[in-house]
Amino acid sequence: MSGRRSLGGRQQSLLSRYLLIIVAALLFIPVGIPLTFAGYNLFNLQTAEKPPEEYKLYSNITALEEQWHQEALSLSGQTPDAIDRRLEELSGSYPLAAMFWVDGGGQTRQIHTPEDPQLQGQLGMDRIPAQWSAPEAIAFMKDAARQEPLAIVAFIGDRADAGEGFLVMQIPEKITEAYRFQSLSSWYILVLLIFFALFVAVSWLFFTGIRRRLLRLQTAMSFTGGAGIPEPIAPGKADEIGRLEEAFNHMVAELTVSRRREAEEEGLRKRLVADLSHDLRTPLTVIRSHLHVLGKEGLSRRGQESILLMDERIESLSGLIDNLLSYNLLSSGRVTLNPERKDVLRILRESAAAWYPLWEKDGFEVDISLEGEPLYWIIDESWFRRILDNLFQNIVRHARSGKYVGVRTVTREAGRAVVISDRGQGMDSTPEAAGAGLGLSIVDLLLNRMELARKTVSSQQGTSIEITQPQANNLNKI
Amino acid sequence: MGITLLYVEDDREIGSAVSADLRERKYAVRWQQSGEGAVEAAAGCQLAILDVMLPGLDGFTVGQRLKRAYPEMPVLMLSARTSIDDKLQGLEFADDYLTKPFHPDELAARIEVLLRRTGAAEPAPLVLKHLVVYEGNNVIQEAATGREILLTGKQFQIFTYMLRHLGQILTKEQIYEAVWGEAYIEGDKTLMVHIRYLREKLELDPAAPEIIETVRGIGYRVRA
């Protein structure tokens, strides 16, 4: 198929089409111009009036000249009367031409003129002097050279130094004109101009055609459909641009397939995680409800305490399962985030509101200071809540001893930052901090996906976690 | 009390334990082991508790069908799943959501809130410190004197919204958007002014409010 395509492609190639235009334009000079020229003349010959039949005798001037010189040579040494007779004979053969001869003494002898008065007028026989002087001879020859009228002059004996005079034959302009090559008329120039304009128009059409198709392709590429993938475009001609369109469609199709595969994989992994979560949580629920039943039996104080402890452990195990499975989903990259421009302070307040009863119950000092203008970041709201949940959960579980939660904003060089702090024993102190790692790993994965940064300062006096959006500076100015 | 709950749970152990606990709390429980026939069984029930992962018809589908058949009936979803999008999908129609392993007390508390919100619970007056609130009749009285406290439209709307979320801390944005139905603009003092007038009417000492509590940095709360 590819072989056939390349063959067909070559025929329809843009390059070959453009070459065709250029070759046509170039050929127009050496081939087209003579061809049209000939065509024009042929057309003229067909349509223009033909010279009358009796003019044919005078059509070949060269032959006439030769004959005239021959005649002059043969008259060498003849008596003037004999020359007169011969000239009269010749005049009979060429009735439309004027003839005369001048003898050795410069006297004009025997003038024969055509009968047609129009031809006579063109010859200007009245200007011929009776007695030739040198200036008159020169003036005559100058007129003859200009063909006004055409004069064939031959010395008798075909030699100037023979001194026997000369023979003159004059052919009227009307006859010579009839055989003169026709000059180019304005029509022909117009045809040339039309050809030139046609070339320009064809070139222009060729390039606007290419431009239009390229623009169409550009539009198709920059406009994305619902899934964030450009729509395929209707295939056009099978030339280079056509192949580009085809390649583009192919790419779009591949992209669509890979997106679908990705979505399928994401769905599969989510299913797996959901099933796993179900299988782990169901027995925990059973245990928890039985603990509840057990708690209602008359147990000793120690018994009640140990039931409470088990209940707490079940709760934290549930959190651990949640984190473990979330981490699995997040680290595999199989989670789609939907980042939007959101007010982070509002989410912080709402999240703190949800945690407040728990802090209150445990006797925490809650210091929330989130006043001022909204702080807009590009985040996925539900996953951002998850970050906060994990951080707050870590405080409740691992920094309980500090009895303090602080949530506030600070102004940094890159913009405002959110700070969540506690007064626990710090992250490095072993017994309290154990288990905080997974929650923080999830926080880091999520922060990374939302292009947020975490800076943690931890000491024996407490931990403070600062979250910034490095590129957020301009978001809040909108 | 005559409140009947529909409970759909496929796991026998959880189902029998939860049913027993709820019966102890004086609810009549209709426990179904699958989603088939749940809509029919819901007739006469005041609330539905659905497990998300059910054999055959899943909890979301059953919940949506129940909501279509009984739009007024609150639906509480129980799930052993984790992923966040499931929560969103479930909450589109569900009124509340609880993740396994839940504590039986928490389930009972959620049920109570939902029943109160929809008015399905007994119209027992709500006692808040020195006040008695008859939610069904929109009447607020001073317990000691029986004097009725009259609120303006907006004050009443704010107070009922907070009563509906009893014990929950509500942010300024949440209250403003629920009552005025438009986005809250930071710095707007309207809500604060309304709450000040509301306190002047409700509180014994508006300078030290007991009914509408201020949670510093977050918002307001009405505690039961």
Side-chain angles (χ1 to χ4, degrees):
Chain A
M1 185 172 159
S2 67
R4 207 188 58 189
R5 177 165 301 161
S6 75
L7 206 74
R10 199 162 300 146
Q11 284 165 357
Q12 298 210 339
S13 138
L14 285 175
L15 184 71
S16 54
R17 270 165 60 204
Y18 184 61
L19 276 179
L20 199 71
I21 293 173
I22 292 293
V23 165
L26 286 177
L27 279 183
F28 184 66
I29 299 163
V31 178
I33 290 182
L35 265 179
T36 48
F37 196 71
Y40 177 77
N41 274 304
L42 211 68
F43 173 77
N44 249 4
L45 279 179
Q46 291 298 316
T47 52
E49 267 180 60
K50 274 193 176 165
E53 194 57 36
E54 59 262 39
Y55 286 10
K56 205 174 174 183
L57 213 54
Y58 312 91
S59 63
N60 193 342
I61 303 295
T62 322
L64 272 180
E65 228 176 333
E66 212 167 288
Q67 196 191 344
W68 200 247
H69 281 274
Q70 205 62 44
E71 213 55 65
L73 188 66
S74 65
L75 287 174
S76 172
Q78 299 279 332
T79 60
D81 288 340
I83 296 171
D84 282 349
R85 270 198 306 279
R86 182 61 196 148
L87 204 64
E88 203 162 345
E89 278 172 35
L90 285 169
S91 161
S93 311
Y94 298 98
L96 297 179
M99 291 174 190
F100 63 90
W101 75 282
V102 178
D103 61 17
Q107 200 173 355
T108 306
R109 311 270 305 232
Q110 264 221 331
I111 300 179
H112 296 274
T113 52
E115 275 166 22
D116 189 335
Q118 199 195 345
L119 294 181
Q120 252 181 46
Q122 283 185 351
L123 288 167
M125 296 311 287
D126 47 338
R127 280 178 299 169
I128 292 169
Q131 181 68 44
W132 291 69
S133 63
E136 278 160 341
I138 290 168
F140 179 81
M141 285 315 290
K142 278 182 92 168
D143 284 348
R146 284 206 300 268
Q147 302 203 353
E148 288 173 355
L150 174 80
I152 302 169
V153 181
F155 290 103
I156 294 168
D158 210 16
R159 280 189 307 129
D161 57 351
E164 290 178 277
F166 52 88
L167 279 175
V168 176
M169 180 199 258
Q170 284 185 304
I171 300 161
E173 239 178 306
K174 194 179 174 192
I175 298 170
T176 51
E177 195 99 294
Y179 288 100
R180 187 170 302 156
F181 197 72
Q182 302 286 331
S183 67
L184 297 176
S185 75
S186 55
W187 282 107
Y188 184 73
I189 292 165
L190 195 72
V191 168
L192 269 183
L193 280 177
I194 288 173
F195 262 98
F196 181 69
L198 216 66
F199 171 66
V200 170
V202 167
S203 297
W204 190 75
L205 282 176
F206 180 75
F207 280 107
T208 47
I210 291 177
R211 188 174 169 275
R212 206 178 45 240
R213 291 170 63 202
L214 285 175
L215 283 178
R216 188 172 81 110
L217 198 61
Q218 190 215 348
T219 315
M221 280 177 176
S222 46
F223 179 79
T224 51
I229 299 175
E231 299 284 339
I233 52 174
K237 290 176 194 158
D239 54 18
E240 284 91 338
I241 296 181
R243 285 202 293 280
L244 189 63
E245 288 167 344
E246 223 169 85
F248 170 71
N249 283 350
H250 184 67
M251 190 193 75
V252 168
E254 292 240 313
L255 213 57
T256 315
V257 168
S258 90
R259 281 280 169 89
R260 202 175 51 225
R261 203 179 302 131
E262 244 172 60
E264 274 168 15
E265 275 175 28
E266 183 178 335
L268 222 72
R269 194 175 270 259
K270 275 187 179 167
R271 270 266 303 282
L272 179 81
V273 163
D275 287 348
L276 216 64
S277 174
H278 180 263
D279 293 350
L280 289 168
R281 284 162 187 276
T282 303
L284 281 182
T285 316
V286 177
I287 296 171
R288 204 171 187 184
S289 47
H290 281 283
L291 279 179
H292 179 68
V293 174
L294 205 63
K296 283 191 283 193
E297 304 293 319
L299 288 180
S300 68
R301 205 171 62 86
R302 272 191 66 188
Q304 287 290 357
E305 268 174 15
S306 94
I307 279 182
L308 203 69
L309 194 78
M310 280 194 268
D311 201 65
E312 272 174 21
R313 282 289 170 263
I314 287 174
E315 185 66 46
S316 74
L317 193 57
S318 153
L320 201 63
I321 291 171
D322 212 34
N323 273 343
L324 197 67
L325 299 179
S326 298
Y327 185 76
N328 179 287
L329 275 183
L330 283 168
S331 63
S332 69
R334 292 275 167 260
V335 172
T336 316
L337 266 64
N338 300 308
E340 284 171 290
R341 183 175 177 263
K342 290 277 178 186
D343 178 10
V344 176
L345 302 188
R346 181 186 178 141
I347 299 171
L348 271 166
R349 271 193 289 271
E350 286 174 13
S351 182
W355 280 88
Y356 197 87
L358 204 67
W359 294 332
E360 209 175 28
K361 199 182 91 196
D362 288 353
F364 275 65
E365 180 196 337
V366 183
D367 177 15
I368 291 167
S369 153
L370 299 169
E371 306 309 318
E373 289 295 301
L375 174 59
Y376 289 109
W377 286 353
I378 301 285
I379 49 165
D380 177 305
E381 187 176 335
S382 52
W383 285 109
F384 190 76
R385 282 180 194 274
R386 183 54 182 271
I387 291 174
L388 297 178
D389 281 348
N390 280 11
L391 293 177
F392 290 149
Q393 196 166 51
N394 272 352
I395 292 176
V396 170
R397 283 201 192 139
H398 311 297
R400 199 180 274 266
S401 57
K403 298 274 176 222
Y404 172 87
V405 183
V407 183
R408 62 180 200 280
T409 57
V410 290
T411 307
R412 294 277 181 259
E413 215 169 285
R416 280 201 285 171
V418 171
V419 178
I420 294 169
S421 53
D422 64 58
R423 288 176 189 163
Q425 294 181 356
M427 283 181 162
D428 302 323
S429 63
T430 29
E432 227 186 353
L438 191 59
L440 271 182
S441 300
I442 290 171
V443 167
D444 285 342
L445 276 174
L446 286 170
L447 287 176
N448 202 22
R449 291 279 298 269
M450 293 185 213
E451 292 174 4
L452 298 172
R454 169 173 79 102
K455 203 177 91 187
T456 305
V457 180
S458 187
S459 72
Q460 294 282 319
Q461 280 69 50
T463 304
S464 112
I465 292 174
E466 186 175 316
I467 299 170
T468 45
Q469 185 161 33
Q471 298 92 347
N473 239 351
N474 45 356
L475 276 174
N476 294 289
K477 290 175 186 154
I478 301 165
Chain B
M1 292 203 294
I3 292 211
T4 311
L5 309 176
L6 173 71
Y7 177 38
V8 186
E9 167 67 73
D10 63 312
D11 189 284
R12 294 175 75 81
E13 283 180 86
I14 298 176
S16 61
V18 170
S19 303
D21 185 70
L22 289 174
R23 285 195 186 105
E24 251 176 60
R25 294 171 200 264
K26 306 280 183 277
Y27 292 112
V29 181
R30 266 182 222 166
W31 172 29
Q32 297 253 322
Q33 291 206 18
S34 90
E36 324 282 342
V39 177
E40 291 76 13
C45 289
Q46 277 77 41
L47 184 137
I49 305 161
L50 300 177
D51 185 36
V52 172
M53 272 202 175
L54 293 170
L57 281 176
D58 70 277
F60 292 123
T61 316
V62 176
Q64 276 154 357
R65 287 189 186 176
L66 279 175
K67 271 285 167 190
R68 230 174 292 136
Y70 306 99
E72 296 299 315
M73 188 173 69
V75 173
L76 172 68
M77 301 298 293
L78 296 177
S79 172
R81 291 205 200 175
T82 310
S83 46
I84 281 185
D85 53 352
D86 272 357
K87 279 191 186 172
L88 292 177
Q89 197 192 340
L91 282 174
E92 268 167 27
F93 69 90
D95 298 273
D96 205 355
Y97 189 97
L98 204 54
T99 312
K100 289 179 182 175
F102 51 85
H103 195 283
D105 287 346
E106 194 178 357
L107 177 64
R110 302 278 185 114
I111 290 171
E112 215 172 292
V113 169
L114 285 178
L115 289 175
R116 181 179 291 282
R117 201 186 293 176
T118 49
E122 82 291 3
L126 180 68
V127 180
L128 293 172
K129 309 276 190 278
H130 62 284
L131 297 179
V132 183
V133 183
Y134 298 90
E135 278 178 280
N137 313 326
N138 300 339
V139 173
I140 305 164
Q141 281 183 345
E142 225 163 11
T145 59
R147 183 177 66 89
E148 190 179 345
I149 296 170
L150 294 171
L151 299 179
T152 65
K154 278 281 177 285
Q155 288 167 356
F156 184 77
Q157 275 177 281
I158 293 168
F159 194 50
T160 18
Y161 179 70
M162 295 178 94
L163 287 181
R164 230 181 296 138
H165 298 91
L166 208 61
Q168 214 175 315
I169 300 169
L170 299 165
T171 65
K172 282 176 290 182
E173 292 99 333
Q174 284 171 326
I175 301 171
Y176 187 87
E177 281 161 21
V179 173
W180 275 269
E182 51 192 74
Y184 175 78
I185 295 159
E186 187 59 39
D188 191 343
K189 299 276 183 245
T190 320
L191 180 68
M192 279 178 67
V193 172
H194 274 86
I195 288 194
R196 202 172 72 218
Y197 288 133
L198 193 55
R199 278 174 171 161
E200 279 171 13
K201 287 186 180 174
L202 296 177
E203 306 284 354
L204 288 175
D205 176 9
E210 287 190 317
I211 305 284
I212 301 174
E213 192 186 334
T214 299
V215 181
R216 209 172 66 79
I218 307 181
Y220 302 97
R221 170 167 65 177
V222 175
R223 256 204 283 200

